[in-house]
């Protein structure tokens, strides 16, 4: 019998085709959530929350595939209890997110979106857009896993000096990834001119950047986050921007998405993008093919490369 696979969030055609040619029956969009009791597999991105209640309804479900890295939108405990496998596609989006991180650094340091908006209103405001150079500055990475390491490689090429705080990695591994290991978050924030966050959202990392820790940042520094909303306490960041402790911020992720035109999003020294760090043609194709193959392996009882639960 053909497997029934729910595709709750948009997935690149390459992945859909891959599954169809193997005979799978695909149910796309919200219809996938209406068909929970019939699904053998469910594929989501970050938008759909896979809750305990959904897993209870999905009595045939063998596997949940997350087309991307972060699995904070899936109730992993509930999946574990029900014997549902959870897989992700952690490598497919690394380079796209690293490139977007660097793009946000330049956009924030050189006020590129603001300058473009001003020109589109017919203005020519050279003095207003005095910026900072990245070359020669210290980049502090919070988390140096796949994406952090890819950012470190690019930052060194730009002439930045890279520090990293990652208590779960041995100092030797951090050094191999091209960064000086620093033992505490405080030490990192004290020294970095640009801080970039690359940790997953967990109970431990929620509001890792809060009033107390943001006060450790060097006055005039830049903060970038392409990891997850919730790692930064947004009210506290807004205050730090208003006080000038944080010079500018580049944010791709927000505590509540979409956030709307909040005071943080509309702040003149915030560059905001709508969770698009992984949205490249290349990454979306790769992620769809990776998750299709991994979900298929789980259904067929094959060996798994990226099993989370
Ligand atoms: P990864 O697992 O390879 O790396 C995460 C690193 O964070 C690990 O080295 C881990 O040791 C470290 N870490 C965990 N807790 C920490 C803490 N408290 N302090 C410091 N370091 C800590 O993951 P990755 O592939 O590099 O992805 C990182 C995150 O980026 C993902 O979890 C995801 O939430 C986010 N992401 C966002 C987008 C986007 O579209 N904006 C796309 C992909 C991934």
């Amino acid at each position: 019998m053909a497997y029934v696979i729910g595709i709750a969030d948009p997935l690149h055609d390459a992945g859909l085709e891959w599954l169809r040619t193997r005979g799978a029956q695909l149910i796309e969009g919200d219809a996938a959530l209406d068909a929970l009791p019939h699904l053998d597999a469910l594929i989501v991105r970050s938008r759909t929350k896979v809750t305990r209640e959904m897993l209870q309804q999905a009595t045939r479900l063998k596997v949940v595939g997350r087309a991307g890295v972060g699995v904070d939108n899936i109730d992993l405990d509930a999946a574990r209890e029900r014997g549902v496998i959870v897989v992700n596609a952690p490598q497919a989006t690394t380079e796209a997110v690293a490139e977007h991180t660097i793009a946000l650094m330049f956009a924030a340091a050189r006020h590129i979106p603001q300058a473009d908006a001003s020109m589109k209103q017919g203005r020519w405001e050279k003095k207003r857009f005095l910026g900072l150079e990245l070359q020669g500055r210290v980049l502090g990475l919070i988390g140096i896993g796949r994406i952090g390491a890819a950012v470190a490689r690019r930052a060194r090429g730009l002439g930045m000096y890279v520090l990293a705080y990652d208590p779960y990695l041995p100092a030797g591994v951090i050094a191999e990834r091209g960064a000086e290991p620093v033992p505490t978050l405080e030490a990192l924030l004290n020294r970095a001119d640009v801080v970039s966050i690359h940790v997953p959202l967990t109970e431990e990392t929620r509001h890792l950047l809060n009033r107390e820790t943001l006060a450790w940042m060097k006055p005039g520094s830049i903060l970038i986050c392409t990891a997850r909303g919730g790692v930064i306490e947004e009210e506290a960041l807004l205050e730090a921007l208003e006080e000038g402790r944080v010079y500018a911020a580049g944010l791709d992720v927000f505590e509540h998405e979409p956030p709307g035109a909040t005071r943080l999003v509309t702040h003149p020294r915030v560059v905001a993008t709508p969770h698009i760090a992984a949205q490249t043609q290349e990454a979306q194709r790769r992620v769809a093919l990776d998750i299709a193959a991994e979900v298929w392996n789980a259904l067929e009882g094959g060996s798994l490369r990226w099993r989370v639960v």
Side-chain angles (χ1 to χ4, degrees):
M1 217 176 67
Y3 293 123
V4 181
I5 304 181
I7 313 283
D9 299 326
L11 195 70
H12 192 286
D13 282 345
L16 301 178
E17 234 5 80
W18 195 97
L19 291 167
R20 280 198 193 103
T21 55
R22 280 158 185 80
Q25 184 198 332
L26 306 186
I27 304 179
E28 294 179 60
D30 288 343
L33 304 184
D34 297 334
L36 282 173
H38 308 291
L39 300 182
D40 298 294
L42 174 65
I43 297 180
V44 299
R45 289 174 44 174
S46 56
R47 191 190 65 119
T48 298
K49 311 281 172 254
V50 182
T51 61
R52 179 175 288 273
E53 292 68 37
M54 283 168 63
L55 290 168
Q56 268 159 4
Q57 284 178 48
T59 46
R60 285 172 57 98
L61 195 71
K62 193 162 175 201
V63 54
V64 175
R66 158 71 168 104
V69 189
V71 285
D72 45 282
N73 54 322
I74 301 171
D75 188 330
L76 299 179
D77 288 336
R80 207 171 283 119
E81 285 163 28
R82 299 192 65 83
V84 172
I85 296 171
V86 178
V87 291
N88 66 353
Q91 288 170 8
T93 56
T94 302
E95 306 302 324
V97 178
E99 287 194 1
H100 194 70
T101 303
I102 300 286
L104 284 177
M105 279 184 207
F106 277 117
R110 303 303 294 269
H111 316 290
I112 289 172
Q114 297 89 335
D116 176 65
S118 150
M119 286 216 44
K120 286 186 164 67
Q121 292 177 344
R123 301 205 193 108
W124 187 256
E125 302 180 289
K126 289 176 71 112
K127 283 203 186 110
R128 186 178 151 205
F129 298 120
L130 186 70
L132 299 174
E133 290 175 19
L134 295 184
Q135 196 267 122
R137 302 224 175 235
V138 176
L139 170 64
L141 299 173
I142 305 178
I144 185 164
R146 281 173 295 259
I147 296 171
V151 171
R153 273 200 303 281
R154 287 164 173 79
R156 283 200 316 279
L158 296 173
M160 301 184 87
Y161 183 79
V162 185
L163 309 174
Y165 165 68
D166 191 324
Y168 297 102
L169 290 177
V173 171
I174 295 178
E176 273 166 24
R177 294 182 182 178
E180 179 192 322
V182 287
T184 63
L185 181 62
E186 186 169 6
L188 181 108
L189 296 177
N190 281 172
R191 284 175 62 194
D193 302 302
V194 180
V195 173
S196 190
I197 303 176
H198 302 288
V199 294
L201 178 65
T202 62
E203 280 319 306
E204 184 201 11
T205 62
R206 187 177 298 279
H207 290 185
L208 189 64
L209 278 273
N210 52 41
R211 266 184 198 91
E212 184 192 346
T213 56
L214 283 168
W216 295 335
M217 286 181 71
K218 276 172 76 169
S221 47
I222 292 175
L223 179 63
I224 306 293
C225 187
T226 56
R228 272 292 176 277
V231 177
I232 300 175
E233 187 184 353
E234 294 182 349
E235 267 305 302
L237 174 58
L238 188 62
E239 280 172 21
L241 281 157
E242 277 165 0
E243 286 165 11
R245 175 164 294 278
V246 173
Y247 169 75
L251 305 173
D252 185 52
V253 286
F254 301 87
E255 200 149 11
H256 303 288
E257 295 184 357
T262 59
R263 283 174 63 212
L264 184 63
V265 168
T266 56
H267 190 281
R269 277 178 287 108
V270 169
V271 177
T273 53
H275 204 144
I276 55 169
Q279 289 283 91
T280 62
Q281 295 175 13
E282 296 86 345
Q284 288 309 309
R285 187 168 188 283
R286 255 190 322 259
V287 88
L289 288 170
D290 281 0
I291 204 63
E294 192 70 350
V295 162
W296 193 259
N297 276 342
L299 289 170
E300 294 278 286
S303 65
L304 297 173
R305 285 186 292 177
W306 301 305
R307 184 168 184 168
V308 181
V309 165

